[in-house]
Amino acid sequence: AQSVTQLGSHVSVSEGALVLLRCNYSSSVPPYLFWYVQYPNQGLQLLLKYTSAATLVKGINGFEAEFKKSETSFHLTKPSAHMSDAAEYFCAVSERGNNRLAFGKGNQVVVIP
Amino acid sequence: AAGVIQSPRHLIKEKRETATLKCYPIPRHDTVYWYQQGPGQDPQFLISFYEKMQSDKGSIPDRFSAQQFSDYHSELNMSSLELGDSALYFCASSETTGGYGYTFGSGTRLTVV
């Protein structure tokens, strides 16, 4: 079964600094990979997704992620953190032909002024 | 653009009561998914439906049942509620079963007292 690992439940970043959230996946078949953001008391919003096209994926709000098969990783980055980036971020994986999403434990991002 | 609509937004029930959550997918989306997110937890897949038939089943308790109707809306029925059922319940919909990532609703927060 597919799974993802996100290390560091809480991530603090200074405003204007690089945001880096790590995600490693496990899948027996080529995966589909996703990053979702969740603001307090809100639903899950899709940031970006990898579905076997370009390995560098650009998403909303200035985020991007790179699929690295050799490292089984799909890390999320943003060059300059903004206060509005404070939220919880989930990495998720789906196997082709199996649409259930398996989520990581999430990263709670705190942006320090 | 139309989104996934869930009702109610909040629900308070007593132990052993029954609750019904409703989900209205994006128009032309034929697949509906249900997820449960406990406090401080990642979302867990419960069940999905494609063209009104159950397409996948996850960690859904036997006390729970769900169905998708002819207009593609879905209902999650939960009986004999337990304190541990208190969670945020998300519905999501997609146009195909291709696993390309789907759109989540804002969720129903169920509190069992």
Side-chain angles (χ1 to χ4, degrees):
Chain A
Q2 67 270 32
S3 66
V4 294
T5 301
Q6 292 180 251
L7 298 179
S9 59
H10 286 77
V11 176
S12 294
V13 59
S14 297
E15 189 176 15
L18 172 72
V19 179
L20 170 60
L21 303 180
R22 299 178 187 275
C23 173
N24 288 90
Y25 70 90
S26 172
S27 178
S28 57
V29 298
Y32 291 176
L33 292 159
F34 310 87
W35 276 99
Y36 284 89
V37 61
Q38 185 177 31
Y39 297 98
N41 298 313
Q42 294 191 26
L44 295 157
Q45 182 181 6
L46 181 67
L47 276 178
L48 47 79
K49 60 187 178 186
Y50 167 76
T51 58
S52 79
T55 56
L56 182 62
V57 181
K58 294 187 183 298
I60 62 172
N61 302 339
F63 285 93
E64 65 180 38
E66 186 172 10
F67 172 70
K68 292 186 176 180
K69 183 179 178 180
S70 61
E71 299 177 7
T72 60
S73 69
F74 190 56
H75 302 331
L76 181 71
T77 60
K78 180 175 181 178
S80 177
H82 192 273
M83 295 301 293
S84 61
D85 294 326
E88 184 141 29
Y89 293 79
F90 291 98
C91 182
V93 63
S94 173
E95 292 183 356
R96 296 179 184 182
N98 179 344
N99 294 302
R100 66 168 71 184
L101 288 176
F103 287 86
K105 295 299 182 185
N107 294 120
Q108 184 68 50
V109 172
V110 175
V111 182
I112 303 169
Chain B
V4 177
I5 306 297
Q6 291 188 246
S7 67
R9 288 297 307 274
H10 301 274
L11 190 59
I12 300 175
K13 290 286 186 177
E14 295 187 354
K15 284 192 303 183
R16 294 179 288 277
E17 283 193 320
T18 297
T20 298
L21 278 52
K22 296 185 179 182
C23 170
Y24 297 87
I26 292 173
R28 295 185 300 280
H29 281 195
D30 51 21
T31 306
V32 170
Y33 313 80
W34 286 96
Y35 285 80
Q36 178 192 57
Q37 185 180 27
Q41 302 296 313
D42 55 295
Q44 295 291 318
F45 173 74
L46 292 177
I47 197 167
S48 63
F49 293 87
Y50 168 65
E51 284 291 345
K52 294 153 280 184
M53 298 289 289
Q54 180 181 308
S55 55
D56 194 6
K57 187 175 180 180
S59 51
I60 183 170
D62 291 340
R63 299 177 289 107
F64 293 8
S65 65
Q67 58 182 318
Q68 186 179 31
F69 294 86
S70 58
D71 64 351
Y72 295 102
H73 94 272
S74 178
E75 295 183 3
L76 177 66
N77 297 291
M78 299 175 285
S79 62
S80 302
L81 288 169
E82 303 173 356
L83 295 178
D85 296 328
S86 296
L88 197 53
Y89 290 83
F90 288 110
C91 173
S93 72
S94 69
E95 189 170 357
T96 70
T97 57
Y100 296 112
Y102 25 81
T103 304
F104 282 87
S106 298
T108 293
R109 183 169 296 282
L110 172 67
T111 303
V112 181
V113 298

